[in-house]
Amino acid sequence: MEKRYIYADYAATSPVSEAVLNEMLPYFTEQFGNPSSLYKYGRNARKAVESARERTAAVLGCEPSEIYFTSGGTESDNHALRCGAELMAAKGKRHIITTEIEHHAVLNTCEYLEKIGFDVTYLPVGESGVISPEQVKKAITDNTAVVSVMLANNETGTIQPVYEIAELCRERGVLFHTDAVQAVGNIPVTLSGNCIDMLSLSGHKLGAPKGTGVLFIRNGVKLPSLIFGGGQEKGLRSGTENVPAIVGLAKALEDSCGSIPEKSARLTAVRDMIIDGLFEKVPAVRLNGDRACRLPGNINMSFLGTEGEALLLMLDMNGISASGGSACAGGSPSHVLRALGLPPEAVQGSVRFTIGGDITAEDGRYIVDTTAQIVKRVRNMSSLWERYSRESGNSGILKYFSSII
Ligand code: PLP
């Protein structure tokens, strides 16, 4: 098999296209002004930022006045939760609802909110990884301030019914936030005709540079500031605007969201080929997360009797860049896979391939064949695998995996 180089970690970050870079370049050099300055250079920079705001709003189906540029998904999540909680605490509400599978930008902010006196409910997810609106409905009390449920999970790619959840939050006077960092650019996302109050997105997941993002705040929601200073972004997010990145973000949003139908069909076909291929060629595997309700480019699989890290190193040596889960988790066991109810032994040998760009069916076959060989090699050296091979039937750890060993 001829060696190929395949980047399969689009959920971690994505490359900036030439088209996006070309739109950004003038704002580093000849159009370098500060948007707050009154003279020509400043006015040109301001024009670029406001045009990017209009373009971003057009893609997302909202008003330009509802778009706030931030430094990325983490800041947007922090702002929505901390400031949403502060806003509602002034009305006497101090209860937050979220899920066990959120990104740490949400979970660690919730932990902080608990420390300063808020109650947080972390809703469990079943084995499919999908939360039901009914669960949220039951958890809402008269004290509930904010509900935050991610649109698509960064590890398993499972898509949550956020529009329904937003609607029932509105009925109860609760603010609803969604972390749409993994969804925007991959599946259609709109803010028109629904009840989402706040939405976070991140530039570098959809072809814009790192360190740029958006917080959507629906008009009428009077969120306080998170960052204080010179009063940029209508006083809500101080700090001189990152003009080139904001321009790049608008272009990347247009390009990534504009190509969803074509991209989604193509990636879904390669994704399904990889999943089916791995089930066919590798015994004792499992797909983590719901098969149908998942992002077009996400494949998260566990290989019994292996160590994820060993698999990833060997995949890298064979030209495939994949991940053990969240790029931000820093090697700790996946809280998402644990939340699906998987025992630690099953979580251990997990690999996340997130495909994108111009990946082809041949690339998909290379991923399947290479992974199958590597899993076999790792298992041949594994005492755990030897032990599992002696077990029979569909009991214990084996019940989480496909086919008998
Ligand atoms: N939320 C989710 C679901 C993510 O996947 C990520 C990044 O991996 C973030 C938030 C954080 O975004 P950023 O890297 O822009 O801070």
Side-chain angles (χ1 to χ4, degrees), residues 11 71-74 77 103 105 150 152 154 179 181-182 202 204-205 328:
S71 68
T74 301
D77 285 346
H103 189 271
M150 71 199 321
N154 46 306
D179 175 338
V181 165
Q182 294 289 339
S202 168
H204 73 105
K205 310 290 184 177
C328 317

Side-chain angles (χ1 to χ4, degrees), residues 34-116:
N34 183 325
S36 297
S37 301
L38 293 177
Y39 42 78
K40 187 184 85 174
Y41 289 101
R43 289 198 306 274
N44 286 346
R46 168 62 53 210
K47 224 187 271 174
V49 170
E50 295 317 317
S51 156
R53 203 184 308 280
E54 281 168 20
R55 293 163 71 186
T56 300
V59 171
L60 296 175
C62 64
E63 296 296 324
S65 56
E66 297 174 313
I67 296 295
Y68 297 84
F69 293 113
T70 68
S71 68
T74 301
E75 183 190 321
S76 297
D77 285 346
N78 271 260
H79 197 151
L81 279 155
R82 287 179 69 167
C83 299
E86 185 185 330
L87 175 70
M88 298 300 273
K91 300 178 187 173
K93 299 189 176 202
R94 302 186 72 85
H95 174 224
I96 312 289
I97 299 172
T98 189
T99 77
E100 288 181 345
I101 59 165
E102 299 296 313
H103 189 271
H104 282 108
V106 166
L107 290 179
N108 290 348
T109 305
C110 285
E111 224 172 81
Y112 167 75
L113 289 170
E114 280 184 285
K115 280 194 195 129
I116 61 167

Side-chain angles (χ1 to χ4, degrees), residues 128-372:
S128 71
V130 184
I131 189 171
S132 74
E134 201 52 38
Q135 280 175 276
V136 178
K137 195 172 182 175
K138 278 195 191 136
I140 292 178
T141 70
D142 290 341
N143 195 30
T144 305
V146 184
V147 170
S148 182
V149 176
M150 71 199 321
L151 214 162
N153 184 263
N154 46 306
E155 295 194 33
T156 59
T158 43
I159 298 166
Q160 307 295 338
V162 294
Y163 300 109
E164 291 94 315
I165 295 171
E167 200 171 318
L168 59 93
C169 286
R170 180 69 59 84
E171 281 164 15
R172 296 290 305 269
V174 173
L175 278 183
F176 180 74
H177 165 253
T178 186
D179 175 338
V181 165
Q182 294 289 339
V184 175
N186 286 316
I187 54 170
V189 175
T190 183
L191 291 162
S192 137
N194 62 60
C195 301
I196 293 171
D197 294 309
M198 300 175 282
L199 174 144
S200 305
L201 69 84
S202 168
H204 73 105
K205 310 290 184 177
L206 49 84
K210 293 159 189 66
T212 185
V214 164
L215 175 61
F216 156 83
I217 308 171
R218 197 170 288 286
N219 282 336
V221 176
K222 302 269 179 257
L223 219 59
S225 308
L226 181 69
I227 298 174
F228 297 91
Q232 289 87 349
E233 296 295 284
K234 290 191 280 172
L236 218 77
R237 200 276 175 183
S238 287
T240 303
E241 298 89 339
N242 185 347
V243 183
I246 288 171
V247 169
L249 176 55
K251 172 70 175 154
L253 267 168
E254 286 172 345
D255 290 354
S256 61
C257 294
S259 60
I260 287 175
E262 174 279 321
K263 190 171 53 184
S264 172
R266 191 167 46 79
L267 293 184
T268 302
V270 180
R271 175 199 74 186
D272 289 346
M273 199 198 88
I274 295 174
I275 294 171
D276 292 339
L278 288 172
F279 271 116
E280 198 180 297
K281 295 205 168 172
V282 189
V285 292
R286 63 169 279 127
L287 177 69
N288 298 313
D290 193 81
R291 172 123 197 199
C293 251
R294 98 190 275 127
L295 291 175
N298 179 291
I299 301 131
N300 186 318
M301 305 205 56
S302 295
F303 302 92
L304 183 63
T306 67
E307 287 281 352
E309 256 175 49
L311 298 178
L312 293 176
L313 282 173
M314 289 169 80
L315 284 168
D316 187 27
M317 284 192 288
N318 284 277
I320 300 170
S321 306
S323 151
S326 158
C328 317
S332 52
S334 160
H335 68 285
V336 175
L337 298 188
R338 294 305 310 276
L340 303 190
L342 293 189
E345 308 93 289
V347 173
Q348 233 171 25
S350 304
V351 176
R352 177 190 74 178
F353 301 98
T354 45
I355 56 174
D358 52 8
I359 191 160
T360 62
E362 286 90 80
D363 293 332
R365 274 190 284 279
Y366 180 79
I367 290 178
V368 171
D369 292 343
T370 309
T371 306

